[in-house]
Amino acid sequence: MAADTPCVLVVEDETTQREMLAYNLEAEGFMVSRAENGEEALLIVDEVSHDVILLDWMLPNVSGIEVCHSLK
């Protein structure tokens, strides 16, 4: 993939939904990272820059709202 390919982080605790979103985004040419909870999302964000984050707000342990506040 080209260096200018948009990168999306999909944060979803339901595996089927997470994989469906990632599959469709990848089919459209996006580079996709996946996280199944808020803690994992925060670790990934520290390592890789993303253009867009699709964030479920009802996540176990660290909610999507808490993740959003941390990123702000």
Side-chain angles (χ1 to χ4, degrees), residues 11 35-43 55 59-64 67:
V11 187
E36 64 181 64
N37 59 54
E39 293 168 338
E40 187 177 355
L42 290 171
L43 290 173
L55 181 61
L59 296 168
N61 302 326
V62 179
S63 74
V67 171

Side-chain angles (χ1 to χ4, degrees), residues 14-34:
E14 293 186 34
T15 304
T16 305
Q17 286 187 320
R18 184 178 60 250
E19 293 306 316
M20 180 201 58
L21 287 166
Y23 173 83
N24 285 302
L25 288 164
E26 289 171 340
E28 292 298 320
F30 292 92
M31 195 161 67
V32 179
S33 300
R34 298 164 175 83

